[in-house]
Amino acid sequence: MLYLVALLLHCLPLAMGQYDICKSWVTTDDGPSWEFYACQPKAMRMKDYVTVRVDPAGITCGDPPERFCTHENPYLCSDECDASNPDLAHPPKLMFDSEDEGLATYWQSVTWRRYPEPLLANITLSWNKSIELTDDIVITFEYGRPTIMMLEKSLDNGRTWHPYQYYADDCMEAFSMPARRVRDLSTTSANRVLCTEEYSRWAGSKKEKTVRFEVRDRFAIFAGPDLKNMDNLYTRLESAKGLKDFFTVTDLRMRLLRPALGGTYVQRENLYKYFYAVSNIEVTGRCKCNLHANLCTFKEGSLQCECEHNTTGQDCGKCKKNFRSRSWRAGSYLPLPNGSPNACAAAGSAFGNCECYGHSNRCSYIDFLNVVTCVSCKHNTRGQHCQHCRLGFYRNSSAELDDENVCIECNCNQIGSMHDRCNETGYCECKEGATGPKCDDCLPNYYWRQGCFPNVCDDELLLCQNGGTCYQNQRCVCPVGFKGVLCQQSRCEADKKDCDGAASVHGSLGAVLLGVLALQLRGWVDL
Ligand SMILES: *[C@@H]1O[C@H](CO)[C@@H](O)[C@H](O)[C@H]1NC(C)=O
Ligand SMILES: *[C@@H]1O[C@H](CO)[C@@H](O)[C@H](O)[C@H]1NC(C)=O
Ligand SMILES: *[C@@H]1O[C@H](CO)[C@@H](O)[C@H](O)[C@H]1NC(C)=O
Ligand SMILES: *[C@@H]1O[C@H](CO)[C@@H](O)[C@H](O)[C@H]1NC(C)=O
Ligand SMILES: *[C@@H]1O[C@H](CO)[C@@H](O)[C@H](O)[C@H]1NC(C)=O
Ligand SMILES: [Ca+2]
């Protein structure tokens, strides 16, 4: 068998009877038929499916081999980390193995030999799948817990990160945040990101080893101590904005910012006792399947929901082909106790044969045409089945018909194009002289000025004459004495008046001087 049925792996206190079946065969007065329910997979030990990355490069101890000691035994620095010796190596995978009785196995960092440069390490856990936490995250540190650390989470496979919780022996000093406890949160602040001092104190490295992200305490705000009233929690998860997402992650990152100090200040003369050592990271959760699956399996290196209700996708996040007569919806915990499956419906189930490719939730029967048609097609679609793009939009060739991005706006240049429609490849219809897919360019020998106009002059064919110069292909700037589009006309020839009294003066210079004189004279007369 290539995959593990994750269901078999673990039984957890939070795995309740509720929402564990997706459908059952029931007999009613109308005969037997399937009945469907909201359903979710059981919680599992998520560390079995994780990939881990430790940063920066070279932070894992043992390359080169290094000696270290402990806070309890600071002068016996005879322990050794050696990456090339399996008995003395401390690679990251030892944070996820199962601890047999006897000694703990752990990942260990280099020592703080570069003090006072900070000793920083990131441990990043990735599932390549959204998971919903159902119990506390518990990180076990050997040889003392960090005095400053931070937990971050990602909901988009590591593209963006958000703080999840801050940990410090002095929250004010480390993060300028007041220290709070999750137990003191209320129903309106259950998804607050806070700084806690509870897991950073020095109490001896053997006594207090764990750092927690308290999921149960947050659940208890709604479900009461011992989580007896899960119904109330499920109701809240449906109604309180952002609460479900708060417990959903695809990745987690522990940012270790300062190691255990043994309850005192840093002793520079013995830096071999400062380092991080993590023996276990327990993450308990279930695959997020949008209440459309009760099984989650590990296939080809990734967790995958076994989708029911005719949904599909890694998280059952869309409707199967041919089951898109209405938009996909997540299942709901409500109404209690079985919730709503919000199953995808087959084309042809609701109203004759009316598929809307997920762009409409409603069909309507048009009596005089005797057809059923989709109503209010969304995503810029139109048509009986929302199968066409609205005017001014064209079909996205890399999207399927049921994709939200199926129609792309034409974006025709308002001045350069005849109208705002385009052809199937997004080309607009251009006015004379304009070109380019959106008609925002001009053809050669045209210039752009609120539209494309044919060049009046240029440097090749339409040359300005008589020493005129071409201004931006739009007009010739003519020397005094010449006019016309290409300065081809002498003013004398064009207008006899310009030449009055200048008959005896030959050449253009004379004409210019005379023109100036005439202007001045006219000015005096007007005065
Ligand atoms: C740890 O990750 C954060 C981003 O979450 C990054 O800014 C930081 O540089 C990383 N630190 C190390 C030591 O890689
Ligand atoms: C993540 O999961 C998706 C969907 O199952 C898969 O196609 C992809 O190859 C996986 N990526 C990695 C890095 O495992
Ligand atoms: C899903 O489709 C199948 C037919 O392929 C049908 O038998 C089944 O009842 C459908 N399930 C739901 C929840 O609609
Ligand atoms: C076309 O559809 C694909 C698939 O959904 C999408 O990634 C892409 O952004 C769309 N293109 C445009 C221009 O919207
Ligand atoms: C759209 O118009 C452009 C430019 O006129 C043309 O090259 C393309 O073939 C046209 N596409 C279709 C599908 O007609
Ligand atoms: Ca271990």
Side-chain angles (χ1 to χ4, degrees):
M1 207 156 66
L2 274 171
Y3 60 88
L4 296 164
V5 177
L7 177 74
L8 300 175
L9 283 175
H10 209 61
C11 278
L12 287 143
L14 277 179
M16 317 284 288
Q18 265 183 320
Y19 307 114
D20 56 355
I21 55 169
C22 297
K23 61 181 175 197
S24 73
W25 188 243
V26 294
T27 313
T28 61
D29 292 347
D30 303 333
S33 67
W34 284 110
E35 205 166 85
F36 300 101
Y37 317 103
C39 53
Q40 61 189 3
K42 293 238 178 342
M44 322 189 272
R45 247 173 45 176
M46 285 294 167
K47 73 173 183 183
D48 297 342
Y49 310 99
V50 80
T51 49
V52 64
R53 194 191 146 91
V54 177
D55 288 304
I59 188 71
T60 299
C61 68
D63 184 17
E66 187 180 15
R67 290 190 182 285
F68 65 95
C69 40
T70 64
H71 291 293
E72 269 90 1
N73 237 337
Y75 301 107
L76 194 68
C77 299
S78 58
D79 282 332
E80 197 180 356
C81 176
D82 181 352
S84 64
N85 178 343
D87 292 334
L88 299 175
H90 293 281
K93 66 170 190 232
L94 298 182
M95 296 186 275
F96 307 97
D97 57 349
S98 44
E99 306 280 12
D100 297 325
E101 0 26 289
L103 282 178
T105 56
Y106 48 90
W107 166 78
Q108 186 175 322
S109 77
V110 295
T111 63
W112 203 358
R113 54 183 184 238
R114 295 241 181 96
Y115 178 88
E117 200 178 294
L119 180 63
L120 304 178
N122 284 354
I123 303 172
T124 307
L125 312 187
S126 305
W127 283 275
N128 190 25
K129 168 83 189 79
S130 338
I131 59 173
E132 295 167 339
L133 301 176
T134 57
D135 208 334
D136 293 2
I137 298 169
V138 184
I139 309 152
T140 309
F141 287 89
E142 305 296 323
Y143 307 111
R145 302 174 294 187
T147 44
I148 306 180
M149 74 171 258
M150 204 186 147
L151 184 64
E152 291 182 322
K153 75 164 198 175
S154 172
L155 258 170
D156 53 11
N157 294 314
R159 276 183 286 281
T160 57
W161 291 90
H162 312 278
Y164 216 6
Q165 191 144 307
Y166 296 86
Y167 301 85
D169 53 359
D170 185 336
C171 282
M172 220 28 159
E173 181 202 66
F175 297 111
S176 305
M177 292 170 81
R180 286 173 180 276
R181 294 185 312 174
V182 171
R183 285 194 291 284
D184 301 332
L185 293 175
S186 69
T187 51
T188 53
S189 60
N191 54 355
R192 175 168 298 174
V193 173
L194 49 75
C195 182
T196 175
E197 294 178 354
E198 280 190 85
Y199 306 102
S200 311
R201 288 182 310 264
W202 177 254
S205 66
K206 301 260 162 43
K207 215 163 139 223
E208 294 192 359
K209 295 172 132 187
T210 59
V211 172
R212 282 176 180 268
F213 178 78
E214 306 94 330
V215 171
R216 281 182 152 258
D217 283 346
R218 291 179 195 259
F219 282 177
I221 296 168
F222 306 105
D226 305 327
L227 307 185
K228 288 224 174 69
N229 188 359
M230 286 300 278
D231 282 358
N232 193 32
L233 173 65
Y234 286 132
T235 305
R236 283 307 191 115
L237 284 173
E238 284 299 338
S239 58
K241 200 167 170 280
L243 194 60
K244 237 186 205 175
D245 277 352
F246 181 78
F247 297 107
T248 308
V249 307
T250 57
D251 305 68
L252 289 169
R253 174 175 289 159
M254 280 125 246
R255 296 180 60 181
L256 310 181
L257 300 171
R258 194 176 68 191
L261 302 183
T264 170
Y265 54 89
V266 180
Q267 287 160 338
R268 311 185 68 134
E269 67 281 4
N270 183 356
L271 296 172
Y272 298 114
K273 59 181 177 176
Y274 304 113
F275 55 88
Y276 307 106
V278 178
S279 58
N280 194 40
I281 302 179
E282 205 63 59
V283 179
T284 308
R286 63 167 61 95
C287 289
K288 172 180 170 157
C289 301
N290 287 299
L291 294 174
H292 288 312
N294 61 355
L295 280 179
C296 187
T297 54
F298 194 61
K299 285 186 210 169
E300 287 143 24
S302 281
L303 287 165
Q304 164 80 48
C305 299
E306 297 283 310
C307 302
E308 300 264 0
H309 304 154
N310 292 312
T311 61
T312 185
Q314 206 188 11
D315 302 352
C316 309
K318 55 184 189 177
C319 291
K320 263 167 109 167
K321 234 184 163 71
N322 302 325
F323 290 90
R324 290 166 185 166
S325 66
R326 52 171 181 254
S327 306
W328 174 90
R329 282 168 67 196
S332 168
Y333 288 120
L334 303 177
L336 300 166
N338 290 325
S340 320
N342 294 335
C344 292
S349 63
F351 259 115
N353 183 13
C354 187
E355 164 142 34
C356 302
Y357 296 104
H359 303 306
S360 166
N361 281 327
R362 281 192 301 139
C363 290
S364 137
Y365 177 68
I366 303 177
D367 207 4
F368 66 94
L369 292 175
N370 189 28
V371 294
V372 176
T373 181
C374 306
V375 178
S376 314
C377 296
K378 288 184 293 186
H379 313 132
N380 304 309
T381 61
R382 65 175 178 90
Q384 185 184 2
H385 304 291
C386 306
Q387 79 276 37
H388 298 304
C389 290
R390 273 173 45 200
L391 286 183
F393 292 81
Y394 68 104
R395 179 68 204 279
N396 179 347
S397 57
S398 54
E400 298 222 26
L401 260 185
D402 62 317
D403 196 307
E404 283 193 10
N405 299 315
V406 67
C407 294
I408 304 174
E409 194 167 3
C410 291
N411 249 325
C412 300
N413 185 291
Q414 287 199 351
I415 298 166
S417 55
M418 310 275 272
H419 43 69
D420 56 10
R421 301 189 291 281
C422 55
N423 76 6
E424 287 145 59
T425 44
Y427 278 81
C428 304
E429 209 180 316
C430 300
K431 288 186 188 155
E432 198 208 321
T435 187
K438 307 300 167 196
C439 307
D440 48 7
D441 265 339
C442 291
L443 289 169
N445 301 324
Y446 284 80
Y447 70 94
W448 180 270
R449 191 177 172 213
Q450 309 282 62
C452 292
F453 295 94
N455 285 354
V456 172
C457 54
D458 56 38
D459 297 330
E460 283 149 33
L461 294 174
L462 301 164
L463 294 172
C464 302
Q465 300 167 22
N466 293 313
T469 51
C470 183
Y471 175 74
Q472 294 185 350
N473 301 117
Q474 295 173 17
R475 61 189 167 91
C476 288
V477 181
C478 302
V480 182
F482 290 94
K483 58 190 260 182
V485 175
L486 295 173
C487 312
Q488 74 279 29
Q489 273 183 312
S490 141
R491 286 186 183 270
C492 286
E493 284 167 30
D495 191 340
K496 274 278 176 246
K497 255 195 289 173
D498 282 353
C499 302
D500 280 355
S504 63
V505 182
H506 296 283
S508 55
L509 183 65
V512 169
L513 286 173
L514 212 94
V516 171
L517 196 68
L519 273 173
Q520 287 185 343
L521 276 169
R522 233 177 267 163
W524 287 331
V525 172
D526 285 351
L527 276 170

PDB file of all heavy atoms in Angstrom, residues 466-492:
ATOM      1  N   ASN A 466      12.453  74.812 -47.129  1.00  0.00           N
ATOM      2  CA  ASN A 466      12.937  76.169 -46.905  1.00  0.00           C
ATOM      3  C   ASN A 466      13.501  76.373 -45.503  1.00  0.00           C
ATOM      4  O   ASN A 466      13.283  77.394 -44.863  1.00  0.00           O
ATOM      5  CB  ASN A 466      11.827  77.183 -47.181  1.00  0.00           C
ATOM      6  CG  ASN A 466      11.457  77.203 -48.658  1.00  0.00           C
ATOM      7  OD1 ASN A 466      12.330  77.251 -49.532  1.00  0.00           O
ATOM      8  ND2 ASN A 466      10.170  77.084 -48.942  1.00  0.00           N
ATOM      9  N   GLY A 467      14.179  75.347 -44.975  1.00  0.00           N
ATOM     10  CA  GLY A 467      14.826  75.478 -43.658  1.00  0.00           C
ATOM     11  C   GLY A 467      13.884  75.302 -42.483  1.00  0.00           C
ATOM     12  O   GLY A 467      14.266  75.522 -41.339  1.00  0.00           O
ATOM     13  N   GLY A 468      12.635  74.847 -42.722  1.00  0.00           N
ATOM     14  CA  GLY A 468      11.711  74.593 -41.614  1.00  0.00           C
ATOM     15  C   GLY A 468      12.118  73.335 -40.851  1.00  0.00           C
ATOM     16  O   GLY A 468      12.826  72.476 -41.381  1.00  0.00           O
ATOM     17  N   THR A 469      11.714  73.241 -39.560  1.00  0.00           N
ATOM     18  CA  THR A 469      12.050  72.042 -38.797  1.00  0.00           C
ATOM     19  C   THR A 469      10.770  71.341 -38.363  1.00  0.00           C
ATOM     20  O   THR A 469       9.754  71.988 -38.062  1.00  0.00           O
ATOM     21  CB  THR A 469      12.873  72.387 -37.545  1.00  0.00           C
ATOM     22  OG1 THR A 469      12.177  73.420 -36.836  1.00  0.00           O
ATOM     23  CG2 THR A 469      14.257  72.883 -37.922  1.00  0.00           C
ATOM     24  N   CYS A 470      10.859  70.024 -38.285  1.00  0.00           N
ATOM     25  CA  CYS A 470       9.673  69.213 -37.980  1.00  0.00           C
ATOM     26  C   CYS A 470       9.516  69.094 -36.474  1.00  0.00           C
ATOM     27  O   CYS A 470      10.415  68.617 -35.778  1.00  0.00           O
ATOM     28  CB  CYS A 470       9.843  67.833 -38.627  1.00  0.00           C
ATOM     29  SG  CYS A 470       8.404  66.793 -38.387  1.00  0.00           S
ATOM     30  N   TYR A 471       8.376  69.526 -35.929  1.00  0.00           N
ATOM     31  CA  TYR A 471       8.134  69.467 -34.498  1.00  0.00           C
ATOM     32  C   TYR A 471       7.247  68.253 -34.176  1.00  0.00           C
ATOM     33  O   TYR A 471       6.051  68.214 -34.510  1.00  0.00           O
ATOM     34  CB  TYR A 471       7.464  70.760 -34.029  1.00  0.00           C
ATOM     35  CG  TYR A 471       7.069  70.741 -32.571  1.00  0.00           C
ATOM     36  CD1 TYR A 471       8.055  70.849 -31.573  1.00  0.00           C
ATOM     37  CD2 TYR A 471       5.737  70.619 -32.192  1.00  0.00           C
ATOM     38  CE1 TYR A 471       7.686  70.822 -30.244  1.00  0.00           C
ATOM     39  CE2 TYR A 471       5.375  70.589 -30.864  1.00  0.00           C
ATOM     40  CZ  TYR A 471       6.360  70.693 -29.883  1.00  0.00           C
ATOM     41  OH  TYR A 471       6.002  70.659 -28.580  1.00  0.00           O
ATOM     42  N   GLN A 472       7.835  67.214 -33.544  1.00  0.00           N
ATOM     43  CA  GLN A 472       7.131  66.010 -33.087  1.00  0.00           C
ATOM     44  C   GLN A 472       6.190  65.429 -34.137  1.00  0.00           C
ATOM     45  O   GLN A 472       5.086  64.972 -33.807  1.00  0.00           O
ATOM     46  CB  GLN A 472       6.362  66.313 -31.802  1.00  0.00           C
ATOM     47  CG  GLN A 472       7.298  66.627 -30.651  1.00  0.00           C
ATOM     48  CD  GLN A 472       6.565  66.810 -29.336  1.00  0.00           C
ATOM     49  OE1 GLN A 472       5.332  66.880 -29.300  1.00  0.00           O
ATOM     50  NE2 GLN A 472       7.337  66.856 -28.257  1.00  0.00           N
ATOM     51  N   ASN A 473       6.598  65.437 -35.374  1.00  0.00           N
ATOM     52  CA  ASN A 473       5.799  64.914 -36.482  1.00  0.00           C
ATOM     53  C   ASN A 473       4.471  65.638 -36.670  1.00  0.00           C
ATOM     54  O   ASN A 473       3.642  65.243 -37.480  1.00  0.00           O
ATOM     55  CB  ASN A 473       5.509  63.422 -36.326  1.00  0.00           C
ATOM     56  CG  ASN A 473       6.771  62.589 -36.259  1.00  0.00           C
ATOM     57  OD1 ASN A 473       7.057  61.949 -35.265  1.00  0.00           O
ATOM     58  ND2 ASN A 473       7.541  62.626 -37.330  1.00  0.00           N
ATOM     59  N   GLN A 474       4.256  66.705 -35.908  1.00  0.00           N
ATOM     60  CA  GLN A 474       2.931  67.317 -35.920  1.00  0.00           C
ATOM     61  C   GLN A 474       2.852  68.541 -36.828  1.00  0.00           C
ATOM     62  O   GLN A 474       1.812  68.813 -37.404  1.00  0.00           O
ATOM     63  CB  GLN A 474       2.511  67.711 -34.502  1.00  0.00           C
ATOM     64  CG  GLN A 474       2.343  66.507 -33.599  1.00  0.00           C
ATOM     65  CD  GLN A 474       2.088  66.906 -32.159  1.00  0.00           C
ATOM     66  OE1 GLN A 474       1.727  68.034 -31.880  1.00  0.00           O
ATOM     67  NE2 GLN A 474       2.279  65.960 -31.265  1.00  0.00           N
ATOM     68  N   ARG A 475       3.939  69.319 -36.901  1.00  0.00           N
ATOM     69  CA  ARG A 475       3.913  70.504 -37.771  1.00  0.00           C
ATOM     70  C   ARG A 475       5.326  70.950 -38.073  1.00  0.00           C
ATOM     71  O   ARG A 475       6.255  70.627 -37.318  1.00  0.00           O
ATOM     72  CB  ARG A 475       3.112  71.633 -37.134  1.00  0.00           C
ATOM     73  CG  ARG A 475       3.661  72.101 -35.820  1.00  0.00           C
ATOM     74  CD  ARG A 475       2.676  73.067 -35.157  1.00  0.00           C
ATOM     75  NE  ARG A 475       3.061  73.264 -33.770  1.00  0.00           N
ATOM     76  CZ  ARG A 475       3.872  74.234 -33.356  1.00  0.00           C
ATOM     77  NH1 ARG A 475       4.402  75.080 -34.232  1.00  0.00           N
ATOM     78  NH2 ARG A 475       4.178  74.357 -32.076  1.00  0.00           N
ATOM     79  N   CYS A 476       5.427  71.704 -39.215  1.00  0.00           N
ATOM     80  CA  CYS A 476       6.718  72.288 -39.544  1.00  0.00           C
ATOM     81  C   CYS A 476       6.789  73.663 -38.894  1.00  0.00           C
ATOM     82  O   CYS A 476       5.808  74.425 -38.914  1.00  0.00           O
ATOM     83  CB  CYS A 476       6.844  72.455 -41.056  1.00  0.00           C
ATOM     84  SG  CYS A 476       7.069  70.889 -41.919  1.00  0.00           S
ATOM     85  N   VAL A 477       7.908  73.958 -38.263  1.00  0.00           N
ATOM     86  CA  VAL A 477       8.125  75.299 -37.754  1.00  0.00           C
ATOM     87  C   VAL A 477       8.885  76.057 -38.849  1.00  0.00           C
ATOM     88  O   VAL A 477      10.012  75.690 -39.171  1.00  0.00           O
ATOM     89  CB  VAL A 477       8.936  75.259 -36.445  1.00  0.00           C
ATOM     90  CG1 VAL A 477       9.133  76.663 -35.904  1.00  0.00           C
ATOM     91  CG2 VAL A 477       8.235  74.364 -35.431  1.00  0.00           C
ATOM     92  N   CYS A 478       8.209  77.021 -39.429  1.00  0.00           N
ATOM     93  CA  CYS A 478       8.763  77.667 -40.622  1.00  0.00           C
ATOM     94  C   CYS A 478       9.547  78.910 -40.259  1.00  0.00           C
ATOM     95  O   CYS A 478       9.216  79.595 -39.283  1.00  0.00           O
ATOM     96  CB  CYS A 478       7.620  78.100 -41.549  1.00  0.00           C
ATOM     97  SG  CYS A 478       6.580  76.728 -42.056  1.00  0.00           S
ATOM     98  N   PRO A 479      10.602  79.230 -41.027  1.00  0.00           N
ATOM     99  CA  PRO A 479      11.292  80.505 -40.832  1.00  0.00           C
ATOM    100  C   PRO A 479      10.369  81.643 -41.278  1.00  0.00           C
ATOM    101  O   PRO A 479       9.426  81.415 -42.051  1.00  0.00           O
ATOM    102  CB  PRO A 479      12.516  80.396 -41.741  1.00  0.00           C
ATOM    103  CG  PRO A 479      12.254  79.278 -42.673  1.00  0.00           C
ATOM    104  CD  PRO A 479      11.153  78.438 -42.134  1.00  0.00           C
ATOM    105  N   VAL A 480      10.606  82.830 -40.759  1.00  0.00           N
ATOM    106  CA  VAL A 480       9.773  83.981 -41.131  1.00  0.00           C
ATOM    107  C   VAL A 480       9.842  84.127 -42.649  1.00  0.00           C
ATOM    108  O   VAL A 480      10.897  83.925 -43.245  1.00  0.00           O
ATOM    109  CB  VAL A 480      10.296  85.254 -40.447  1.00  0.00           C
ATOM    110  CG1 VAL A 480       9.397  86.440 -40.803  1.00  0.00           C
ATOM    111  CG2 VAL A 480      10.366  85.054 -38.949  1.00  0.00           C
ATOM    112  N   GLY A 481       8.729  84.405 -43.234  1.00  0.00           N
ATOM    113  CA  GLY A 481       8.725  84.576 -44.682  1.00  0.00           C
ATOM    114  C   GLY A 481       8.196  83.368 -45.422  1.00  0.00           C
ATOM    115  O   GLY A 481       7.965  83.425 -46.618  1.00  0.00           O
ATOM    116  N   PHE A 482       8.033  82.231 -44.635  1.00  0.00           N
ATOM    117  CA  PHE A 482       7.483  81.047 -45.287  1.00  0.00           C
ATOM    118  C   PHE A 482       6.316  80.505 -44.508  1.00  0.00           C
ATOM    119  O   PHE A 482       6.236  80.659 -43.301  1.00  0.00           O
ATOM    120  CB  PHE A 482       8.563  79.985 -45.451  1.00  0.00           C
ATOM    121  CG  PHE A 482       9.584  80.399 -46.474  1.00  0.00           C
ATOM    122  CD1 PHE A 482      10.747  81.035 -46.082  1.00  0.00           C
ATOM    123  CD2 PHE A 482       9.337  80.190 -47.830  1.00  0.00           C
ATOM    124  CE1 PHE A 482      11.665  81.452 -47.026  1.00  0.00           C
ATOM    125  CE2 PHE A 482      10.263  80.602 -48.764  1.00  0.00           C
ATOM    126  CZ  PHE A 482      11.438  81.230 -48.368  1.00  0.00           C
ATOM    127  N   LYS A 483       5.426  79.891 -45.211  1.00  0.00           N
ATOM    128  CA  LYS A 483       4.269  79.294 -44.548  1.00  0.00           C
ATOM    129  C   LYS A 483       3.826  78.079 -45.337  1.00  0.00           C
ATOM    130  O   LYS A 483       4.497  77.645 -46.286  1.00  0.00           O
ATOM    131  CB  LYS A 483       3.149  80.321 -44.413  1.00  0.00           C
ATOM    132  CG  LYS A 483       2.687  80.911 -45.750  1.00  0.00           C
ATOM    133  CD  LYS A 483       1.770  82.079 -45.488  1.00  0.00           C
ATOM    134  CE  LYS A 483       0.324  81.646 -45.642  1.00  0.00           C
ATOM    135  NZ  LYS A 483      -0.598  82.773 -45.438  1.00  0.00           N
ATOM    136  N   GLY A 484       2.728  77.506 -44.913  1.00  0.00           N
ATOM    137  CA  GLY A 484       2.270  76.273 -45.541  1.00  0.00           C
ATOM    138  C   GLY A 484       2.636  75.099 -44.663  1.00  0.00           C
ATOM    139  O   GLY A 484       3.499  75.208 -43.780  1.00  0.00           O
ATOM    140  N   VAL A 485       1.953  73.992 -44.885  1.00  0.00           N
ATOM    141  CA  VAL A 485       2.137  72.815 -44.035  1.00  0.00           C
ATOM    142  C   VAL A 485       3.601  72.390 -43.998  1.00  0.00           C
ATOM    143  O   VAL A 485       4.146  72.050 -42.955  1.00  0.00           O
ATOM    144  CB  VAL A 485       1.253  71.652 -44.533  1.00  0.00           C
ATOM    145  CG1 VAL A 485       1.530  70.392 -43.741  1.00  0.00           C
ATOM    146  CG2 VAL A 485      -0.208  72.025 -44.415  1.00  0.00           C
ATOM    147  N   LEU A 486       4.268  72.452 -45.152  1.00  0.00           N
ATOM    148  CA  LEU A 486       5.683  72.058 -45.211  1.00  0.00           C
ATOM    149  C   LEU A 486       6.586  73.277 -45.427  1.00  0.00           C
ATOM    150  O   LEU A 486       7.709  73.138 -45.887  1.00  0.00           O
ATOM    151  CB  LEU A 486       5.896  71.044 -46.331  1.00  0.00           C
ATOM    152  CG  LEU A 486       5.189  69.696 -46.160  1.00  0.00           C
ATOM    153  CD1 LEU A 486       5.347  68.838 -47.408  1.00  0.00           C
ATOM    154  CD2 LEU A 486       5.711  68.952 -44.933  1.00  0.00           C
ATOM    155  N   CYS A 487       6.083  74.452 -45.087  1.00  0.00           N
ATOM    156  CA  CYS A 487       6.814  75.710 -45.302  1.00  0.00           C
ATOM    157  C   CYS A 487       7.157  75.875 -46.780  1.00  0.00           C
ATOM    158  O   CYS A 487       8.181  76.463 -47.129  1.00  0.00           O
ATOM    159  CB  CYS A 487       8.103  75.783 -44.483  1.00  0.00           C
ATOM    160  SG  CYS A 487       7.946  75.339 -42.770  1.00  0.00           S
ATOM    161  N   GLN A 488       6.317  75.334 -47.611  1.00  0.00           N
ATOM    162  CA  GLN A 488       6.664  75.324 -49.032  1.00  0.00           C
ATOM    163  C   GLN A 488       6.331  76.656 -49.715  1.00  0.00           C
ATOM    164  O   GLN A 488       6.792  76.918 -50.817  1.00  0.00           O
ATOM    165  CB  GLN A 488       5.967  74.148 -49.739  1.00  0.00           C
ATOM    166  CG  GLN A 488       4.487  74.298 -49.975  1.00  0.00           C
ATOM    167  CD  GLN A 488       3.636  73.963 -48.743  1.00  0.00           C
ATOM    168  OE1 GLN A 488       4.089  74.123 -47.593  1.00  0.00           O
ATOM    169  NE2 GLN A 488       2.409  73.558 -48.965  1.00  0.00           N
ATOM    170  N   GLN A 489       5.520  77.515 -49.045  1.00  0.00           N
ATOM    171  CA  GLN A 489       5.085  78.751 -49.694  1.00  0.00           C
ATOM    172  C   GLN A 489       5.831  79.950 -49.127  1.00  0.00           C
ATOM    173  O   GLN A 489       5.940  80.093 -47.901  1.00  0.00           O
ATOM    174  CB  GLN A 489       3.589  78.970 -49.399  1.00  0.00           C
ATOM    175  CG  GLN A 489       2.673  78.287 -50.381  1.00  0.00           C
ATOM    176  CD  GLN A 489       1.232  78.632 -50.048  1.00  0.00           C
ATOM    177  OE1 GLN A 489       0.801  78.549 -48.903  1.00  0.00           O
ATOM    178  NE2 GLN A 489       0.488  79.034 -51.050  1.00  0.00           N
ATOM    179  N   SER A 490       6.280  80.782 -50.005  1.00  0.00           N
ATOM    180  CA  SER A 490       6.829  82.051 -49.543  1.00  0.00           C
ATOM    181  C   SER A 490       5.648  82.958 -49.245  1.00  0.00           C
ATOM    182  O   SER A 490       4.620  82.920 -49.922  1.00  0.00           O
ATOM    183  CB  SER A 490       7.726  82.633 -50.635  1.00  0.00           C
ATOM    184  OG  SER A 490       7.554  84.030 -50.692  1.00  0.00           O
ATOM    185  N   ARG A 491       5.776  83.744 -48.208  1.00  0.00           N
ATOM    186  CA  ARG A 491       4.648  84.601 -47.829  1.00  0.00           C
ATOM    187  C   ARG A 491       4.295  85.585 -48.949  1.00  0.00           C
ATOM    188  O   ARG A 491       3.141  85.943 -49.126  1.00  0.00           O
ATOM    189  CB  ARG A 491       4.964  85.352 -46.548  1.00  0.00           C
ATOM    190  CG  ARG A 491       4.903  84.454 -45.346  1.00  0.00           C
ATOM    191  CD  ARG A 491       5.064  85.214 -44.051  1.00  0.00           C
ATOM    192  NE  ARG A 491       5.068  84.279 -42.926  1.00  0.00           N
ATOM    193  CZ  ARG A 491       3.958  83.916 -42.282  1.00  0.00           C
ATOM    194  NH1 ARG A 491       2.805  84.400 -42.651  1.00  0.00           N
ATOM    195  NH2 ARG A 491       4.029  83.062 -41.309  1.00  0.00           N
ATOM    196  N   CYS A 492       5.309  86.053 -49.681  1.00  0.00           N
ATOM    197  CA  CYS A 492       5.067  86.981 -50.786  1.00  0.00           C
ATOM    198  C   CYS A 492       4.115  86.401 -51.817  1.00  0.00           C
ATOM    199  O   CYS A 492       3.143  87.029 -52.207  1.00  0.00           O
ATOM    200  CB  CYS A 492       6.369  87.304 -51.503  1.00  0.00           C
ATOM    201  SG  CYS A 492       7.388  88.399 -50.561  1.00  0.00           S
TER     202      CYS A 492
END
